[in-house]
């Protein structure tokens, strides 16, 4: 269970077109009522759940590797301890990579198929019921995974690939995050909404930073089962914070409810189906926004995001451990090392450079859209070189590659911001829905492709062991090349911003003509 840190749109509901009028939140005397306190509880919830997800990555990989190792050496009953160094042979590592990759692909299919219907349901029956349903599916997913890892002698280890099917109950992590961000959007004003989203994203970053750090430390002094069981224990703690949050779905006033109850109550399911058809129609209509080639290029850049995420998390610890002979517990510390750099990039470096490029004191001040485009291009270039070096033959080269690639972590939020330059504000939520679909499609090939290149690299030996990261660098080069063809002249927000700045004398005309 990995809680992603990407922020949904600022829509007040999971499906923004649902027309709702406000009434006071349903409250219990123990509910927090101020928007700020609600957001703080949401951030705490994300912190706990993302920490739980981070705790599982390294130990689950180690247990899988150990099981495959026992099978390879004929110790089906698991009666003997096999040193981890004996598990780094090519056949075991190839099978491990494919299991992890296919697990990611199945999870992506489940999320793409069921996240949307549960989004509709959250706008119909409320945020809290859908959250609890999603948590049931998530807990079943975690417990079934651990059951297979524990009873691998009598249950095929390959069934772990299909544990994500339990996430059809509630839609999985995507729905959990969408519900939490929707609650924040429900209670916060438009002026404070961005700050609320930022706080929640920061909580996710911190959780994903602390999880691998703690799990690696626990694995060095105890069994991999300790961090896994700790992750399970954190889930009810996270859920317990949610009971103090009131239901925030903005429903019709009671008078309207009385008038509509006769029509709605006999066929609640048909109402949901009707809304689903309506929303699906609107989703299909959203594809008509892709008339601009530049908009399509920026949108397609999101197809690589899950490959990049997988390449710097689950797959990375296996790759580095195999190539350089480190234990998985020791390699897990590198995830936190990368996380610290990422937080610095997103909290300090990127905002600082953005402020500099928008500063009126500079003669070459950019418009907001131009700034996003330039920084996105630079981020893609950093990722090209970074992932190429991660595929390098020595530990110092890989460390340098991690730093360079992480400096490009702003690519996704910058591209997301750039998208808004090409659409009207009322279409922002629809565009972000398309982003989610593109990312899910990329998730389907991300894991299996990295596993395939890893297998080929182990067969060819030498420098080719870095083939999976050369593949990631190649994908980043396609993104960078595509961004070079983005034309801001067709941008709605870009045009208005540039025209305003030209009138105010903020942007020199000759530079404006080169945009």
């Amino acid at each position: 269970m990995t809680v992603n840190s990407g922020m949904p749109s600022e829509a007040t509901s999971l499906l923004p077109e649902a027309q709702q009028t406000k009434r006071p939140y349903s409250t219990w005397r123990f509910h927090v009522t101020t928007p700020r306190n609600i957001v703080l509880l949401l951030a705490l919830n994300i912190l706990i759940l993302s920490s739980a997800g981070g705790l599982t990555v390294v130990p689950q990989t180690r247990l899988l590797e150990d099981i495959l190792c026992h099978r390879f050496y004929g110790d089906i009953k698991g009666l003997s301890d096999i040193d981890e160094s004996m598990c780094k042979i090519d056949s075991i590592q190839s099978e491990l990579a494919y299991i992890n990759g296919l697990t990611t692909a199945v999870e992506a299919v489940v999320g793409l198929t069921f996240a949307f219907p549960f989004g509709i349901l959250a706008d119909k029956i409320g945020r809290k019921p859908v959250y609890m349903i999603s948590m049931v599916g998530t807990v079943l997913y975690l417990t079934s995974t651990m059951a297979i890892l524990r009873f691998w002698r009598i249950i095929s280890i390959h069934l772990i690939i299909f544990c994500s099917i339990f996430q059809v109950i509630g839609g999985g992590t995507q729905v959990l995050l969408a519900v939490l961000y929707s609650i924040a959007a429900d209670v916060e004003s438009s002026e404070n909404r961005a700050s609320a989203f930022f706080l929640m994203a920061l909580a996710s970053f911190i959780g994903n930073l602390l999880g691998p750090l703690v799990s690696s430390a626990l694995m060095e002094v105890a069994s991999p089962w300790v961090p896994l069981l700790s992750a399970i224990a954190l889930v009810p703690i996270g859920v317990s914070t949610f009971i103090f949050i009131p239901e925030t779905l903005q429903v019709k006033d009671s008078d309207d409810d009385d008038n509509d109850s006769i029509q709605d109550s006999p066929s609640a399911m048909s109402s949901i189906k009707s809304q689903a058809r309506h929303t699906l129609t609107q989703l299909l209509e959203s594809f008509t926004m892709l008339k601009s080639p530049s908009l399509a290029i920026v949108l397609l850049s999101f197809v690589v995001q899950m490959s990049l995420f997988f390449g710097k998390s689950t797959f990375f610890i296996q790759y580095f451990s195999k190539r350089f002979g480190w234990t998985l517990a020791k390699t897990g510390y590198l995830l936190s090392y990368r996380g610290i750099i990422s937080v610095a990039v997103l909290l300090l470096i990127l905002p600082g450079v953005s402020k500099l490029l928008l500063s009126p004191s500079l003669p070459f001040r950019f418009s907001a859209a131009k700034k996003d485009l330039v920084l996105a291009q630079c981020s893609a270039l950093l990722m090209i070189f970074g992932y190429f070096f991660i595929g390098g033959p020595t530990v110092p080269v890989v460390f340098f590659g991690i730093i360079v690639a992480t400096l490009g972590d702003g690519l996704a939020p910058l591209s997301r911001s750039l998208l808004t330059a090409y659409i009207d504000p009322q279409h922002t939520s629809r565009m972000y829905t398309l982003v989610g679909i593109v990312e899910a499609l990329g998730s389907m090939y991300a894991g299996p492709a990295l596993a395939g290149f890893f297998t080929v690299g182990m067969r060819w030996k030498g420098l080719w062991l870095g083939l999976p990261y050369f593949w990631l660098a190649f994908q980043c080069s396609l993104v960078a090349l595509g961004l070079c063809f983005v034309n801001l002249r067709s941008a709605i927000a870009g045009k208005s911003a540039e025209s305003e700045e030209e009138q105010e004398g903020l942007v020199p005309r000759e530079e404006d003509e080169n945009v």
Side-chain angles (χ1 to χ4, degrees):
M1 180 184 69
T2 302
V3 179
N4 199 335
S5 60
M7 292 189 293
S9 70
E10 297 185 7
T12 57
S13 63
L14 295 181
L15 297 173
E17 281 73 25
Q19 297 298 320
Q20 300 162 334
T21 58
K22 291 185 178 181
R23 77 175 183 187
Y25 313 130
S26 57
T27 58
W28 171 48
R29 65 192 185 105
F30 293 109
H31 281 157
V32 296
T33 55
T34 63
R36 190 59 179 171
N37 288 340
I38 291 175
V39 170
L40 287 174
L41 277 180
L42 293 174
L44 178 61
N45 188 280
I46 291 177
L47 174 64
I48 295 172
L49 295 182
S50 60
S51 297
L55 281 171
T56 65
V57 176
V58 181
Q60 181 173 319
T61 302
R62 174 62 192 126
L63 287 171
L64 268 174
E65 181 186 67
D66 186 61
I67 292 168
L68 296 176
C69 200
H70 277 86
R71 291 178 57 215
F72 179 83
Y73 289 108
D75 186 15
I76 303 300
K77 294 184 179 181
L79 300 177
S80 60
D81 291 330
I82 300 177
D83 189 82
E84 184 176 341
S85 61
M86 297 177 64
C87 302
K88 304 303 178 183
I89 63 174
D90 294 355
S91 59
I92 293 176
Q93 294 301 311
S94 177
E95 186 173 5
L96 176 60
Y98 273 113
I99 289 176
N100 284 331
L102 290 173
T103 300
T104 303
V106 173
E107 187 172 355
V109 172
V110 171
L112 182 63
T113 306
F114 292 93
F116 194 67
F118 278 101
I120 296 172
L121 194 62
D123 279 340
K124 190 69 178 178
I125 67 173
R127 317 301 193 200
K128 298 189 71 172
V130 171
Y131 174 90
M132 298 307 298
I133 294 171
S134 297
M135 284 307 307
V136 170
T138 300
V139 169
L140 288 174
Y141 163 61
L142 288 174
T143 53
S144 62
T145 298
M146 294 187 187
I148 292 174
L149 292 173
R150 176 65 181 85
F151 301 106
W152 62 273
R153 299 170 185 84
I154 57 177
I155 303 175
S156 172
I157 191 62
H158 294 95
L159 288 177
I160 203 170
I161 296 172
F162 303 102
C163 287
S164 297
I165 291 178
F166 282 106
Q167 292 187 325
V168 303
I169 305 173
T173 305
Q174 293 182 19
V175 172
L176 283 174
L177 277 175
V179 167
L180 294 175
Y181 277 103
S182 294
I183 291 174
D186 288 342
V187 301
E188 282 287 14
S189 63
S190 58
E191 293 81 7
N192 297 327
R193 202 171 291 154
S195 297
F197 287 176
F198 175 79
L199 179 63
M200 295 164 68
L202 180 61
S204 180
F205 270 117
I206 294 174
N208 284 310
L209 189 154
L210 293 177
L213 183 66
V214 174
S215 67
S216 292
L218 290 174
M219 287 175 63
E220 288 189 330
V221 298
S223 163
W225 281 104
V226 175
L228 277 180
L229 295 176
S230 299
I232 285 289
L234 282 177
V235 172
I237 297 176
V239 173
S240 67
T241 65
F242 203 71
I243 65 176
F244 299 104
I245 299 174
E247 174 57 62
T248 62
L249 177 64
Q250 301 166 359
V251 296
K252 292 182 179 180
D253 294 330
S254 57
D255 292 341
D256 295 334
D257 289 342
D258 294 338
N259 294 333
D260 295 341
S261 59
I262 298 177
Q263 297 178 1
D264 291 345
S265 57
S267 56
M269 183 56 65
S270 63
S271 176
I272 294 176
K273 290 180 179 179
S274 174
Q275 187 174 353
R277 286 192 298 268
H278 176 64
T279 307
L280 183 59
T281 300
Q282 292 176 328
L283 179 63
L284 295 175
E285 290 175 354
S286 298
F287 286 98
T288 61
M289 294 187 292
L290 302 181
K291 294 177 181 179
S292 167
S294 295
L295 177 60
I297 289 172
V298 178
L299 180 63
L300 287 175
S301 70
F302 287 91
V303 80
V304 307
Q305 289 302 321
M306 286 310 298
S307 291
L308 301 179
F309 176 77
F310 193 50
K312 61 191 178 186
S313 56
T314 306
F315 178 78
F316 174 77
I317 60 174
Q318 180 192 350
Y319 163 81
F320 192 91
S321 177
K322 157 66 180 174
R323 183 158 195 176
F324 300 107
W326 286 31
T327 64
L328 286 169
K330 185 178 179 182
T331 306
Y333 288 114
L334 296 181
L335 297 183
S336 294
Y337 160 67
R338 196 206 72 81
I340 293 172
I341 301 172
S342 182
V343 170
V345 169
L346 297 176
L347 294 187
L348 302 174
I349 299 176
L350 198 58
V353 175
S354 297
K355 186 176 181 180
L356 176 65
L357 294 179
L358 294 175
S359 174
S361 62
L362 296 178
F364 52 86
R365 179 194 176 192
F366 295 141
S367 66
K370 179 66 174 178
K371 177 264 298 180
D372 290 339
L373 177 59
V374 170
L375 290 179
Q377 292 169 336
C378 292
S379 297
L381 287 174
L382 287 169
M383 285 190 168
I384 293 172
F385 291 108
Y387 283 110
F388 182 81
F389 284 121
I390 291 177
T394 65
V395 172
V397 171
V398 174
F399 276 30
F400 176 72
I402 292 173
I403 295 174
V404 175
T406 306
L407 290 175
D409 272 1
L411 177 61
L414 288 167
S415 297
R416 193 179 292 268
S417 177
L418 188 58
L419 285 173
T420 60
Y422 291 89
I423 56 176
D424 296 318
Q426 62 267 30
H427 294 147
T428 301
S429 295
R430 295 190 189 185
M431 179 53 62
Y432 286 167
T433 300
L434 293 181
V435 169
I437 292 173
V438 171
E439 287 181 330
L441 292 174
S443 301
M444 295 179 188
Y445 78 83
L450 284 173
F453 283 113
F454 189 41
T455 301
V456 173
M458 289 188 292
R459 187 183 307 131
W460 291 354
K461 307 294 183 183
L463 187 63
W464 290 109
L465 279 172
L467 190 60
Y469 287 94
F470 300 154
W471 159 244
L472 293 179
F474 172 72
Q475 291 188 86
C476 291
S477 67
L478 293 180
V479 172
L481 180 63
L483 291 175
C484 291
F485 291 94
V486 171
N487 181 9
L488 292 179
R489 291 182 180 275
S490 60
I492 296 174
K495 283 183 177 180
S496 61
E498 289 168 7
S499 62
E500 289 176 4
E501 290 173 345
E502 184 178 331
Q503 290 174 4
E504 297 173 6
L506 296 177
V507 178
R509 177 172 294 275
E510 60 270 17
E511 185 169 32
D512 185 56
E513 292 173 350
N514 293 328
V515 173

